């Protein structure tokens, strides 16, 4: 039986609500894009039976809700025009200009004619990364597009559904995570999980119920008593919100804990959101005075942010009824960053990352991507020429984290399947952050060695590594680095990569450089 949906098309008015009313030009641009896309998609339907424009308007609304600029919202509204309608790149350029065309082309898949099947799919991802490396807004639009597609997976024909769901979990959710977009990551995961791995989903859901995940009454009760205590202790300006653990995140945790559900203590979390950083510590002291915290669960991600920039204080308390509650304490600013990450810094209010004053919300992320922040730095990725018909300016003010650039560089490898497995392995493994003696942070996958580190700094350093000091001590070149290590690379002119190095590295970038060196040497030797 055909399932049908009856979704309402989001009105222009609803989208415009998020655009500042004083800015006439912005409102006109969004209005123009809305009407243009509506006309272009006229008569097209989604699998659900909805008009296609429902999807487009949802994408635009999601971007508006994140307070993205009118340009980005307009590009979101137009994102499927070139791919799915008669509208051409020339039309978009004429009507909306180069910047919007650049964004729309970035999210447009490659034509069916040039590539087929998996090859087309991998090539399209490569193109997406290449475009993202020039402008991170491309990925933000793509994530909102994917989010609506994931939410409507149940209408997608079965033979396509699992592939889209798995790809959402393996590629897009980790990207959202790495961009610090916690809400988007969670929503992508929870929408895709049941269709990607139905059996595992059922299994996780069972544990979720057993752990009282549906017992919202209990949650409400603790919620109330925490609020009451905070007021009693004179904490004035705060608000709270509850978060229930996502099933995919629960599943992954259960996998890590060998399905020992007694180790899961964060089915519920209560967020306490305050104005200033000192207020966070005041709230913590109230909580710990009134409830017994669990040992080893207190984490101060304000003093020591997570690698993706996440900041909050976490603690888990005994609630007195035999259960536990995780409490997350943060400021409004941290809360916004935790939800929308990179995107929270691209809003119309804060026009460029470059202008961000130190001490403002931007500083946290800067330290993790030290070299990505000089706006005039040449973008190192090469976009295959024929994939962009127009010469695009580099919108470098929307800076791009270094790791996305690396992905774009990796995207130039020959074999699309190799590329797919590379990005998955780079994302699947968690990342570590290792320091140079000067304190610059280098972002590497778990299991990376000093050779990876050296290549991540510069290929010339990588090619001539002769030794490595880790935390001041000489170590072998295949030593597995740990989060927080300080690594000093020793080089010598005569040092050369060997075959053995290939087994000692984790990053695709290092592998590629080493292979190139070995090949060159072989050629020279055979001369
Ligand atoms: Mn779309």
């Amino acid at each position: 039986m055909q399932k049908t949906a009856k979704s309402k098309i989001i009105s222009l008015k609803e989208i415009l609500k998020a655009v500042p009313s004083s800015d006439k030009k912005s409102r006109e641009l969004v209005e123009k894009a809305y009407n243009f896309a509506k006309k272009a998609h006229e008569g097209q339907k989604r699998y659900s039976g909805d008009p296609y424009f429902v999807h487009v308007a949802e994408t635009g609304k999601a971007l508006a809700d994140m307070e993205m600029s009118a340009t980005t919202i307009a590009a979101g509204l137009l994102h499927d025009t070139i791919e799915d309608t008669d509208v051409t790149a020339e039309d978009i350029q004429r009507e909306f200009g180069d910047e919007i065309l650049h964004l729309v082309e970035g999210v447009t898949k490659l034509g069916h004619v040039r590539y087929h099947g998996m090859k087309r799919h991998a090539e399209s991802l490569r193109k997406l990364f290449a475009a993202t490396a020039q402008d991170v807004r491309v990925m933000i639009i793509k994530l909102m597009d994917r989010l609506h597609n994931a939410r409507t997976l149940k209408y997608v024909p079965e033979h396509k559904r699992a592939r889209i769901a798995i790809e959402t979990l393996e590629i897009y959710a980790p990207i959202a995570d790495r961009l610090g977009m916690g809400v988007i990551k969670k929503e992508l995961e929870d929408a895709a999980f049941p269709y990607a791995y139905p059996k595992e989903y059922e299994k996780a859901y069972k544990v979720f119920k057993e752990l009282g995940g549906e017992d919202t009454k209990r949650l409400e009760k603790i919620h109330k008593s925490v609020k009451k205590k905070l007021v009693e202790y004179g904490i004035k300006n705060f608000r709270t919100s509850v978060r229930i653990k996502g099933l995919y995140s629960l599943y992954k945790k259960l996998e890590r804990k060998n399905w020992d559900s007694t180790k899961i203590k964060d089915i519920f979390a209560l967020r306490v959101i305050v104005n200033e950083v000192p207020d966070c510590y005041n709230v913590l002291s109230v909580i710990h005075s009134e409830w017994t915290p669990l040992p080893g669960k207190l984490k101060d991600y304000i003093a020591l942010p997570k690698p993706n920039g996440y900041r909050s204080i976490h603690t888990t308390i005994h609630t007195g009824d035999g259960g536990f509650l995780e409490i997350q304490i943060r400021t409004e600013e941290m809360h916004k960053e935790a939800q929308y990450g990179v995107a929270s810094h691209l809003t119309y209010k804060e026009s460029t990352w470059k202008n961000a004053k130190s001490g403002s919300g931007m500083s946290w992320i800067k330290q993790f991507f030290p070299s990505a922040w000089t706006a005039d730095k040449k973008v190192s990725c090469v976009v295959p020429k024929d994939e962009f018909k127009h010469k695009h300016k580099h919108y470098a003010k929307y800076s791009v984290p270094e790791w996305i650039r690396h992905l774009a560089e990796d995207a130039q490898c020959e074999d699309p399947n190799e590329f797919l497995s590379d990005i998955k392995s780079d994302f699947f493994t968690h990342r570590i952050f290792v320091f140079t003696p000067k304190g610059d942070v280098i972002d590497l996958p778990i299991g990376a060695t000093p050779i990876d580190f050296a290549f991540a700094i510069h290929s010339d350093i990588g090619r001539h590594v002769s030794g490595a000091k880790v935390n001041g001590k000489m170590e072998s070149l295949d030593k597995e680095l740990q989060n927080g290590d300080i690594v000093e690379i020793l080089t010598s002119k005569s040092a050369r990569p060997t075959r053995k190095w290939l087994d000692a590295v984790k990053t695709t970038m290092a592998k590629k450089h080493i292979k190139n060196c070995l090949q060159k040497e072989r050629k020279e030797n055979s001369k």
Side-chain angles (χ1 to χ4, degrees):
M1 211 182 73
Q2 181 98 25
K3 289 172 218 157
T4 49
K6 279 210 186 73
S7 310
K8 217 178 96 238
I9 293 178
I10 289 181
S11 68
L12 175 63
K13 216 173 124 197
E14 278 174 86
I15 295 173
L16 282 176
K17 255 191 225 160
V19 181
S21 57
S22 56
D23 189 350
K24 204 173 154 225
K25 250 183 149 177
S26 295
R27 301 173 71 82
E28 279 169 3
L29 174 61
V30 172
E31 184 171 351
K32 188 177 172 190
Y34 184 95
N35 292 327
F36 186 96
K38 194 169 182 183
K39 194 160 166 260
H41 289 287
E42 213 163 57
Q44 290 178 339
K45 289 245 187 301
R46 299 271 290 172
Y47 288 123
S48 59
D50 279 339
Y52 196 91
F53 188 65
V54 165
H55 164 70
V56 169
E58 288 282 349
T59 306
K61 173 74 166 32
L63 291 163
D65 286 344
M66 288 164 69
E67 300 181 352
M68 302 303 285
S69 71
T71 309
T72 312
I73 299 171
L77 289 166
L78 297 166
H79 83 271
D80 276 330
T81 51
I82 297 179
E83 190 172 314
D84 295 328
T85 77
D86 295 336
V87 169
T88 62
E90 286 75 18
D91 295 335
I92 298 290
Q93 189 190 33
R94 192 184 57 243
E95 296 296 320
F96 297 97
D98 275 339
E99 188 174 358
I100 287 180
L101 172 64
H102 171 75
L103 294 170
V104 174
E105 282 209 314
V107 293
T108 299
K109 281 194 212 107
L110 292 167
H112 288 271
V113 188
R114 279 184 55 194
Y115 301 101
H116 297 276
M118 270 315 276
K119 176 112 172 124
R120 171 172 183 253
H121 178 64
E123 293 292 341
S124 294
L125 268 176
R126 278 154 75 150
K127 178 168 166 282
L128 174 67
F129 282 117
T132 304
Q134 293 190 330
D135 190 328
V136 77
R137 293 176 300 173
V138 169
M139 187 59 83
I140 292 169
I141 295 169
K142 184 73 200 176
L143 288 172
M144 296 309 122
D145 164 46
R146 178 51 66 112
L147 181 58
H148 184 253
N149 286 336
R151 282 174 176 160
T152 48
L153 268 174
K154 70 172 164 188
Y155 304 111
V156 173
E158 240 177 282
H159 68 280
K160 281 189 171 180
R161 201 192 285 154
R163 180 189 61 73
I164 299 173
I166 290 171
E167 185 191 62
T168 302
L169 290 183
E170 288 187 345
I171 294 174
Y172 291 101
I175 289 174
D177 187 32
R178 291 286 286 134
L179 290 172
M181 303 166 80
V183 167
I184 309 304
K185 172 198 169 231
K186 185 179 180 222
E187 294 200 15
L188 284 169
E189 285 181 346
D190 288 340
F193 185 31
Y195 301 105
Y197 308 113
K199 277 186 198 142
E200 290 80 354
Y201 172 80
E202 288 301 327
K203 214 173 143 195
Y205 182 59
K206 228 180 112 202
V207 177
F208 178 77
K209 275 206 299 199
E210 279 163 20
L211 289 171
E214 288 180 332
D215 188 358
T216 46
K217 263 191 196 149
R218 187 186 143 248
L219 176 64
E220 240 349 275
K221 215 175 125 201
I222 320 165
H223 184 179
K224 262 190 200 150
S225 59
V226 171
K227 278 200 288 194
K228 205 171 136 226
K229 280 293 166 208
L230 289 175
V231 173
E232 272 176 34
Y233 277 81
I235 304 229
K236 280 188 194 104
N237 296 315
F238 73 90
R239 65 185 179 96
T240 54
S241 72
V242 295
R243 95 93 179 87
I244 301 175
K245 197 168 186 69
L247 281 168
Y248 188 63
S249 131
L250 173 65
Y251 167 74
K252 281 196 298 189
K253 196 158 188 174
L254 285 165
E255 285 278 292
R256 289 200 301 272
K257 310 273 180 195
N258 292 318
W259 288 80
D260 177 357
S261 60
T262 63
K263 297 237 166 85
I264 309 288
K265 308 243 187 314
D266 62 345
I267 276 287
F268 295 135
L270 179 68
R271 290 182 177 138
V272 182
I273 302 154
V274 294
N275 290 329
E276 306 286 339
V277 173
D279 302 333
C280 294
Y281 295 95
N282 289 338
V283 170
L284 178 69
S285 68
V286 173
I287 302 284
H288 280 190
S289 310
E290 287 295 322
W291 288 273
T292 312
L294 264 73
K297 289 280 178 189
L298 173 61
K299 295 194 184 98
D300 187 349
Y301 297 122
I302 294 179
L304 300 162
K306 277 194 188 181
N308 67 359
Y310 177 82
R311 292 181 299 164
S312 273
I313 298 170
H314 288 194
T315 185
T316 306
I317 54 167
H318 289 277
T319 47
D321 57 2
F324 309 93
L325 178 70
E326 179 172 300
I327 308 233
Q328 303 176 348
I329 310 162
R330 50 175 74 158
T331 63
E332 288 286 353
E333 188 189 341
M334 292 171 197
H335 184 57
K336 200 175 158 202
E337 280 174 9
Q339 306 220 55
Y340 297 125
V342 161
S344 67
H345 301 290
L346 294 175
T347 64
Y348 58 78
K349 284 175 200 147
E350 194 170 0
S351 55
T352 71
W353 290 20
K354 197 187 158 200
N355 292 346
K357 292 174 227 95
S358 63
S360 79
M362 276 321 297
S363 48
W364 60 269
I365 201 167
K366 274 188 181 174
Q367 61 177 316
F368 292 109
F369 306 112
S371 50
W373 298 94
T374 35
D376 350 272
K377 191 188 165 192
K378 234 178 79 204
V379 176
S380 53
C381 108
V382 182
V383 179
K385 266 188 210 131
D386 58 330
E387 285 177 9
F388 287 90
K389 289 181 200 122
H390 305 270
K391 272 198 183 147
H392 297 298
K393 281 177 233 147
H394 285 175
Y395 297 97
K397 62 179 180 175
Y398 299 99
S399 287
V400 176
E402 197 71 16
W403 60 272
I404 290 185
R405 287 194 194 156
H406 288 163
L407 274 179
E409 283 168 14
D410 292 347
Q412 289 163 54
C413 68
E414 294 292 303
D415 178 4
N417 288 324
E418 192 184 320
F419 165 64
L420 275 181
S421 75
D422 282 350
I423 57 171
K424 282 181 198 163
S425 68
D426 272 0
F427 275 110
F428 256 147
T429 44
H430 294 264
R431 310 285 294 191
I432 55 166
F433 287 78
V434 180
F435 298 84
T436 68
K438 278 187 189 156
D440 286 334
V441 186
I442 307 290
D443 168 5
L444 294 168
I446 279 183
T449 61
I451 305 176
D452 288 301
F453 178 85
F455 277 106
I457 295 176
H458 198 281
S459 58
D460 278 338
I461 297 180
R463 277 197 290 269
H464 297 291
V465 181
S466 60
K469 275 188 189 170
V470 179
N471 304 323
K473 222 177 100 200
M474 283 302 295
E475 295 283 1
S476 67
L477 290 178
D478 60 358
K479 182 182 165 69
E480 198 173 297
L481 296 175
Q482 304 297 318
N483 211 10
D485 279 349
I486 299 170
V487 183
E488 188 184 340
I489 296 294
L490 312 174
T491 56
S492 91
K493 268 192 180 157
S494 58
R496 292 273 179 282
T498 66
R499 290 232 135 251
K500 261 174 105 184
W501 284 23
L502 281 178
D503 299 324
V505 297
K506 268 270 142 93
T507 52
T508 28
M509 193 179 43
K511 253 181 220 160
K512 206 171 70 184
H513 281 301
I514 296 168
K515 275 187 197 159
N516 280 345
C517 291
L518 292 172
Q519 234 166 33
K520 245 192 218 157
E521 218 163 282
R522 223 180 304 141
K523 269 187 200 154
E524 268 159 32
N525 288 343
S526 65
K527 262 180 199 164

